[in-house]
Amino acid sequence: MTTDQFGVIARKLAVLAVKTDTSFALRAFLNLSATRDIVDVMNEIDCLARMLDDHAPEGRER
């Protein structure tokens, strides 16, 4: 992943943080992520995505 790609992702996370249907907890995480190292944030998001995928309802397409 390039530095430019991290910038694009950071901007998308910022947009998600201000959406009205974003939960308070997710908004807090996203707002805090703006001041943190983007690699750490991406690693946390990847970890959460893997956990969700592992516990997804049966029959989900992969």
Side-chain angles (χ1 to χ4, degrees):
M1 190 170 270
T2 67
T3 303
D4 290 339
Q5 289 170 313
F6 282 132
V8 169
I9 292 168
R11 285 188 294 280
K12 288 181 179 184
L13 294 177
V15 168
L16 180 59
V18 297
K19 292 184 102 178
T20 57
D21 58 344
T22 298
S23 71
F24 176 78
L26 181 56
R27 183 176 290 117
F29 172 80
L30 293 170
N31 287 332
L32 181 61
S33 72
T35 62
R36 297 180 52 227
D37 180 71
I38 188 67
V39 174
D40 289 342
V41 172
M42 293 302 297
N43 286 336
E44 291 169 357
I45 291 171
D46 184 57
C47 180
L48 288 170
R50 278 186 272 120
M51 287 173 45
L52 290 171
D53 190 48
D54 289 345
H55 298 290
E58 291 181 4
R60 180 176 165 206
E61 291 183 34
R62 292 188 186 251

